Amino acid sequence: MSENAFGKGHHLHLIDGSAFIFRAYHALPPLTRKSDGLPIGAVAGFSNMLWKYAQDAKGSDAPTHVAVIFDHSAKTFRNEIYADYKANRPPLPEELVPQFPLTRDATRAFNIACIELEHYEADDIIATLACQARDAGGRVTIISSDKDLMQLVGGGVVMLDPIKGKEIGPDEVHDKFGVGPDRVVDIQALAGDSVDNVPGAPGIGIKTAALLINEYGDLENLLANAEQIKQPKRRQTLLDYADQIRVSKRLVQLDCETPLDFGLETLEIRDPEPDTLLDFLTRMEFRTLTNRVAEKFALEAPAIPDTPASPAGGAPVAAPDWPPIDHELYRRIGTMAELDEVIATIREAGAVAIDTETTGLNEMTADLVGISLCTGPGVACYIPMAHVAGGGDLFDSGARVEGQLDLEPVLAALKPVLEDDAILKVGQNIKYDWKMLARHGIRMKPLEDTMLMSYALGSELFNHGMDGLAERVLGHKCLSIKDLIGSGKSQITFDRVPLDKATPYAAEDAEVTWRLWQMLRPRLPGHAATTAYETLERPMIPVLADMEMAGIKLDPEHLSRMSNVFAQRMAGLEDEIHGLVGTRFNIGSPKQLGEILFDQMGLAGGKQGKTGAYSTSADVLEDLAAEGHELPARVLDWRQISKLKSTYTDALQTHVNPDTGRVHTCYAIAGAATGRLASTEPNLQNIPIRSDEGRRIREAFIAAPGHKLISLDYSQIELRVLAHVADIPALKQAFRDGIDIHAMTASQMFGVPVEGMDPMIRRQAKAINFGVIYGISGFGLARNLRIPRAEAQAFIDTYFQRFPEIRAYMDRTVANARRDGFVRTIFGRRIPTPGIDTKGPAAGGARRAAINAPIQGAAADIIRRAMIRMPQAIRDLPARMLLQVHDELVFEVREDACTPLIGAARKVMEGAAEPAVKLSVPIVVDAGTGDNWAEAH
DNA sequence: TTGTTCACG
DNA sequence: GACGTACGTGAACAAA
């Protein structure tokens, strides 16, 4: 290779790498690498383009030198000039991010110089190289169609549109901008650029700008003589915005002085090394291109293994070289010296898997029994601290077992490690362990959670428990807890398990967690699940843990009074019902009730379901009651009271924690497929509100003395998300105008004015709006509205006609689900769509679930984002976040701080989508304050 | 353990 | 032409 200086007779090709990548990404379907599912479409397209380029570049006008230039990062020196430069760019598609480094690898594999520089855009580097080459007397071809590069054309520099294959010279630039290349920046400074967020002068486009520049010669002269412009509006704009125009010019002006540390001669064209190139292509598993390249070099194409990608959470593709799990290797820690050794090992490893053993499943009431730790395959230990005699022992003495360490010194020794920012704590459902340790004054950080990784990966199996993951991901069957503590009545607590049995079980849990972490963490990028895991799942752990530990205060007397009233009313209803029937039976038994209603009394109503039992659900009974039958009406009354009593007024009292006097629910982060939370023990997300009777139960949820409860809820969040996601202009405009959305729908559908609308019409429109979110059907709507099916179908047809974007959204979403087996929310959460390929009756349900998932899921993402930011936003206020009910957050606030709390919390909630997503509809949050939840909501 | 019913968003 | 049908949860109870 000669190292002759670049100069006359040489021809430099500069390829705009970023443009290549984006074109490749958008032109190709979302291909993935077969062996591990890594998104690879953009790299494939990019490599093909480079190969095609290399073949074409051997013609008569062949380049002598070539380079591919990339953007280094989003932030450049232009952001120092103007902070909002390119600020309205949508975030990069997550599938694309891991492909950027691979496009660099591809460029090098083709033996082409690969150039990027921190702080500078690719365009600046291209400008610098083009200037250098031109000054040296050579020719330059810029392979790009980006208008921002057109200022460089002229004096031996041309552009080549790679799509049209058309050369762009001074004449073409003049056609586009109305001026020569040397004045292009002046035009751009005036006209601005909405894509790059260059402000320019408002109201002035390319046409006007060209007119002005051609009249005044250049921008500075124009601004200096702006007073003379005849059109008053134009004159005023230029006078008012002179500074902004000058800033814009600095933004669009490319920098020809980029500090590059190499000379043009190093860009001399080189043939690819066949081995290097083929090695890269086979690694990427590009079959066609590998064969094509091998053929060109007259070589045998290397074989590409045909191992299919494992489904998310499936069997490992290539298990690491770990020995099988061996319980003999586990240490039981019985002295502080041994514990110190373990701590040293953890510090060295920088990460530790942790699992706590406790006396129960409720973190608020259970006691800590032991801790297991793992830092590598086979390197695990168990620290027993509170085991007592029992279980395996002959005498169930309950005496403390020998050979254990005391709780306090162990936790004191571990605390610095568990709170050390440089040491990762890995758990399986680590929120449990976090709360357990928080009760002893330890706030663990930073955290990783294998359950949440599995959830973010979005497996169709939807089982993120440790035993299931161990079997699927590690091919290992975990020791069963039942073998240790039994089940049912004879079940014992873990503190009664003998140490020699507890150690292998506990330490195995830590090792399995460690192995799962090693396996699952690297799968996140390939499933484009890293962002969801890091921004929507993992940060929820401490936020929810704090909410759960805070709990909410209950008024037990209020509940018990209600229980008594309900008991009396039920007794009365029971007498009445038994009197109507003539015999006593169990009203709570659907089977007995069905037989009485349909066999004994001979009312109309067919058999339902595979069990052959009659349906006695509320809508069946309501229909019968509407026909004038007394019995079903009384049964409905009884059922309502019975439900309220057993599920709420009775059950809630049993969940009051005696230490705190409050109820502490537990939120499942990975409980619902769509990203919603689920609340258990007790479920505080289904406390009654729709009936007046039930609503009074909310009065039992009260604020602590001197405090208020405040409820903030998102108004119509799912419909707003739908308007944005499905891009429905009419809906978006209605939300922007703040008008009644159901009335607007009715108005659009039935052609009636919003003013003075018949409430019945509005109610129907409301039902349709909700139906759309759920994947509407004529049957479903008909049943909901109790109207003939044909009428319901006609409504739906009109709706789709009025808002055709809905249909497009539904089709698009189902097609995505069919193609991928999952759908995504606008925040990137992956939601599996199992059964989407099944045929038959079940297919409809899967389709509707897929349609609903991105809407329900995005709403769930939004409130998660708000919750994650909330602690920081309210940290200076005497307030705590207590509950989440899907679109509502409940706070407890000192009564003098209600107004600032509402202000701070509303701000976080309304802005929660940003900056990840800029919604095209406003988000509105309503607030209420009261001494109890009924008043606050 | 499974199915039915019903509370919520 | 027939199938089935709103989406997502958890808890209580009956019945196997």
Side-chain angles (χ1 to χ4, degrees):
Chain A
M1 194 201 299
S2 68
E3 287 281 325
N4 293 335
F6 185 92
K8 212 169 167 58
H10 286 146
H11 184 187
L12 171 64
H13 270 194
L14 297 171
I15 298 172
D16 182 352
S18 302
F20 263 46
I21 295 172
F22 280 95
R23 194 149 58 80
Y25 176 73
H26 291 295
L28 286 167
L31 308 173
T32 52
R33 185 158 66 185
K34 209 170 181 189
S35 67
D36 61 358
L38 187 75
I40 212 78
V43 186
F46 184 87
S47 302
N48 271 309
M49 286 155 80
L50 278 189
W51 177 246
K52 189 164 175 298
Y53 165 81
Q55 300 312 297
D56 292 353
K58 289 177 180 164
S60 54
D61 194 27
T64 56
H65 296 67
V66 63
V68 181
I69 298 96
F70 295 98
D71 290 306
H72 183 84
S73 62
K75 287 271 177 282
T76 67
F77 69 89
R78 285 187 178 79
N79 293 103
E80 289 157 24
I81 300 173
Y82 184 66
D84 288 341
Y85 179 67
K86 293 197 174 179
N88 56 3
R89 285 276 173 96
L92 288 172
E94 203 176 334
E95 289 90 335
L96 194 48
V97 175
Q99 301 192 61
F100 283 118
L102 294 173
T103 56
R104 274 64 164 178
D105 292 348
T107 308
R108 284 185 283 264
F110 278 93
N111 212 1
I112 299 174
C114 170
I115 300 164
E116 60 188 300
L117 189 63
E118 195 176 353
H119 251 64
Y120 292 90
E121 290 183 51
D123 289 357
D124 297 307
I125 303 172
I126 291 173
T128 305
L129 291 170
C131 289
Q132 288 177 2
R134 190 188 54 203
D135 294 350
R139 289 164 53 223
V140 180
T141 300
I142 299 167
I143 298 167
S144 172
S145 56
D146 188 343
K147 62 177 172 13
D148 296 341
L149 289 165
M150 291 185 181
Q151 57 183 274
L152 300 171
V153 168
V157 179
V158 296
M159 290 172 67
L160 181 67
D161 184 330
I163 304 164
K164 298 181 185 142
K166 206 174 124 246
E167 194 174 287
I168 302 169
D171 291 346
E172 285 77 15
V173 173
H174 199 281
D175 288 347
K176 181 156 181 70
F177 285 102
V179 296
D182 54 332
R183 294 273 75 89
V184 162
V185 285
D186 293 350
I187 302 295
Q188 289 183 289
L190 285 165
D193 184 342
S194 59
V195 177
D196 290 348
N197 211 23
V198 172
I204 293 184
I206 289 179
K207 286 271 149 56
T208 315
L211 219 66
L212 290 166
I213 293 299
N214 281 323
E215 192 177 341
Y216 289 86
D218 64 37
L219 184 65
E220 273 314 316
N221 195 39
L222 169 67
L223 292 176
N225 296 293
E227 299 276 8
Q228 301 166 14
I229 296 172
K230 296 183 186 66
Q231 297 87 340
K233 194 156 168 242
R234 213 173 271 177
R235 178 175 61 231
Q236 203 52 45
T237 304
L238 288 177
L239 290 172
D240 290 350
Y241 290 94
D243 286 349
Q244 185 171 309
I245 294 165
R246 289 201 176 91
V247 167
S248 298
K249 180 163 177 175
R250 290 175 66 199
L251 292 177
V252 297
Q253 177 81 58
L254 296 180
D255 182 356
C256 286
E257 304 289 328
T258 311
L260 299 173
D261 58 0
F262 58 87
L264 289 173
E265 69 284 352
T266 60
L267 306 181
E268 196 169 353
I269 215 157
R270 296 161 299 203
D271 281 329
E273 305 278 341
D275 288 350
T276 315
L277 182 54
L278 286 172
D279 176 61
F280 173 79
L281 297 174
T282 40
R283 248 190 315 123
M284 293 296 112
E285 301 170 18
F286 298 150
R287 288 174 172 73
T288 314
L289 190 54
T290 304
N291 289 333
R292 203 172 285 162
V293 169
E295 195 182 325
K296 196 83 189 176
F297 290 127
L299 291 170
E300 180 90 359
I304 295 171
D306 195 33
T307 46
S310 69
V317 176
D321 196 15
W322 290 330
I325 285 180
D326 180 358
H327 302 124
E328 301 296 317
L329 296 172
Y330 299 148
R331 290 176 81 185
R332 190 167 89 207
I333 304 301
T335 67
M336 289 307 281
E338 287 174 309
L339 181 61
D340 290 341
E341 283 173 33
V342 170
I343 288 172
T345 314
I346 293 171
R347 291 204 169 277
E348 208 173 306
V352 59
I354 180 166
D355 185 41
T356 54
E357 301 302 336
T358 64
T359 56
L361 287 172
N362 186 324
E363 321 87 316
M364 286 301 294
T365 51
D367 291 319
L368 190 54
V369 175
I371 294 175
S372 51
L373 302 163
C374 174
T375 53
V379 191
C381 68
Y382 179 57
I383 312 164
M385 295 177 287
H387 285 259
V388 295
D393 282 23
L394 208 54
F395 304 106
D396 216 6
S397 64
R400 185 179 160 79
V401 167
E402 291 293 307
Q404 303 185 84
L405 289 170
D406 287 330
L407 196 73
E408 289 78 25
V410 169
L411 293 181
L414 284 175
K415 184 176 159 86
V417 175
L418 297 179
E419 294 182 342
D420 190 329
D421 277 320
I423 300 169
L424 224 47
K425 268 66 68 174
V426 187
Q428 162 72 17
N429 185 20
I430 203 169
K431 176 157 70 68
Y432 182 93
D433 309 279
W434 195 95
K435 285 167 75 178
M436 214 58 226
L437 292 164
R439 282 175 55 205
H440 293 92
I442 295 173
R443 287 179 72 90
M444 269 201 292
K445 70 184 164 83
L447 307 174
E448 293 282 3
D449 192 324
T450 49
M451 180 184 77
L452 298 186
M453 284 178 194
S454 170
Y455 181 58
L457 287 169
S459 158
E460 295 208 346
L461 295 172
F462 206 74
N463 168 1
H464 313 296
M466 169 136 74
D467 290 356
L469 284 176
E471 287 202 40
R472 298 206 304 279
V473 179
L474 306 175
H476 172 78
K477 191 138 176 38
C478 290
L479 292 175
S480 164
I481 184 75
K482 276 188 187 144
D483 294 344
L484 268 69
I485 63 173
S487 65
K489 256 184 139 174
S490 56
Q491 191 172 326
I492 57 166
T493 47
F494 198 85
D495 56 338
R496 305 184 94 81
V497 174
L499 297 190
D500 59 339
K501 285 205 174 123
T503 301
Y505 171 83
E508 182 193 84
D509 275 3
E511 176 167 8
V512 166
T513 301
W514 188 91
R515 289 188 185 218
L516 285 174
W517 171 56
Q518 292 285 313
M519 294 296 291
L520 295 180
R521 176 88 232 201
R523 286 187 195 177
L524 291 172
H527 286 72
T530 313
T531 303
Y533 171 72
E534 289 180 353
T535 66
L536 298 170
E537 314 295 348
R538 192 175 60 188
M540 292 296 285
I541 298 166
V543 175
L544 290 175
D546 279 332
M547 290 169 69
E548 294 166 16
M549 305 218 334
I552 185 165
K553 191 169 165 63
L554 267 197
D555 178 355
E557 279 82 39
H558 183 90
L559 288 175
S560 96
R561 274 196 305 274
M562 287 187 77
S563 279
N564 289 337
V565 172
F566 288 154
Q568 283 173 30
R569 288 185 43 197
M570 279 172 73
L573 284 165
E574 276 160 32
D575 288 344
E576 216 174 316
I577 289 165
H578 291 150
L580 284 167
V581 176
T583 53
R584 297 192 74 81
F585 71 104
N586 185 348
I587 306 169
S589 161
K591 186 162 177 268
Q592 293 179 31
L593 178 66
E595 281 160 8
I596 285 168
L597 284 171
F598 302 115
D599 290 339
Q600 204 173 308
M601 297 174 63
L603 300 180
K607 282 187 189 350
Q608 294 260 328
K610 7 182 198 297
T611 55
Y614 295 113
S615 170
T616 66
S617 62
D619 46 342
V620 173
L621 297 188
E622 273 163 25
D623 286 345
L624 294 173
E627 288 165 27
H629 298 289
E630 183 74 5
L631 178 63
R634 294 290 80 78
V635 171
L636 281 169
D637 292 342
W638 182 89
R639 278 220 186 130
Q640 198 205 348
I641 308 293
S642 165
K643 178 80 176 181
L644 295 179
K645 183 172 186 292
S646 67
T647 310
Y648 300 105
T649 57
D650 288 353
L652 280 173
Q653 299 181 63
T654 70
H655 280 102
V656 175
N657 182 302
D659 297 333
T660 63
R662 300 166 73 100
V663 275
H664 305 266
T665 185
C666 180
Y667 289 104
I669 310 176
T674 53
R676 276 193 178 182
L677 301 178
S679 160
T680 56
E681 273 186 293
N683 180 356
L684 294 187
Q685 291 182 323
N686 71 345
I687 303 302
I689 191 164
R690 291 174 190 169
S691 73
D692 292 339
E693 204 80 78
R695 198 187 180 86
R696 296 205 51 223
I697 292 170
R698 292 203 172 209
E699 293 170 1
F701 290 80
I702 56 177
H707 289 69
K708 295 278 184 194
L709 288 185
I710 288 180
S711 160
L712 292 105
D713 67 293
Y714 283 110
S715 160
Q716 310 279 16
I717 185 74
E718 291 194 350
L719 273 177
R720 288 174 202 265
V721 167
L722 173 72
H724 173 89
V725 171
D727 197 16
I728 306 161
L731 212 48
K732 291 200 285 193
Q733 195 55 47
F735 279 124
R736 284 193 202 120
D737 296 343
I739 62 176
D740 178 334
I741 202 68
H742 302 311
M744 185 284 291
T745 307
S747 169
Q748 289 271 322
M749 283 186 59
F750 306 116
V752 295
V754 171
E755 306 295 325
M757 177 171 295
D758 179 355
M760 268 304 288
I761 302 272
R762 184 182 177 280
R763 193 181 133 252
Q764 293 187 326
K766 183 177 175 181
I768 297 170
N769 274 333
F770 278 104
V772 166
I773 293 175
Y774 299 145
I776 200 158
S777 78
F779 181 93
L781 185 66
R783 202 177 57 172
N784 189 289
L785 284 175
R786 295 171 186 277
I787 58 175
R789 197 174 151 175
E791 205 176 312
Q793 191 56 54
F795 283 175
I796 293 170
D797 292 344
T798 312
Y799 191 99
F800 282 147
Q801 222 165 31
R802 279 283 174 218
F803 309 102
E805 297 86 4
I806 294 275
R807 175 90 297 148
Y809 163 77
M810 290 179 157
D811 293 346
R812 190 166 73 230
T813 306
V814 171
N816 285 346
R818 288 227 175 90
R819 187 193 60 201
D820 302 329
F822 61 86
V823 293
R824 277 186 199 277
T825 69
I826 44 175
F827 297 93
R829 170 191 300 282
R830 189 172 155 142
I831 301 170
T833 53
I836 195 76
D837 288 326
T838 56
K839 303 263 181 288
R847 260 189 49 242
R848 288 192 297 272
I851 290 166
N852 172 261
I855 302 167
Q856 190 183 114
D861 293 345
I862 288 172
I863 198 166
R864 280 186 184 224
R865 292 171 62 90
M867 293 171 73
I868 289 162
R869 292 178 194 169
M870 199 60 76
Q872 165 77 7
I874 65 170
R875 80 189 147 166
D876 294 328
L877 295 170
R880 289 190 292 184
M881 183 160 60
L882 304 185
L883 302 178
Q884 189 249 45
V885 194
H886 309 310
D887 63 355
E888 174 189 9
L889 293 175
V890 178
F891 297 82
E892 186 176 53
V893 194
R894 208 171 65 200
E895 54 193 5
D896 60 318
C898 291
T899 309
L901 184 277
I902 291 173
R906 173 178 273 148
K907 189 167 167 227
V908 170
M909 289 174 75
E910 290 184 344
E914 294 173 40
V917 173
K918 176 91 187 93
L919 290 175
S920 50
V921 286
I923 293 296
V924 173
V925 169
D926 299 320
T929 309
D931 292 322
N932 60 61
W933 196 4
E935 279 177 25
H937 189 84

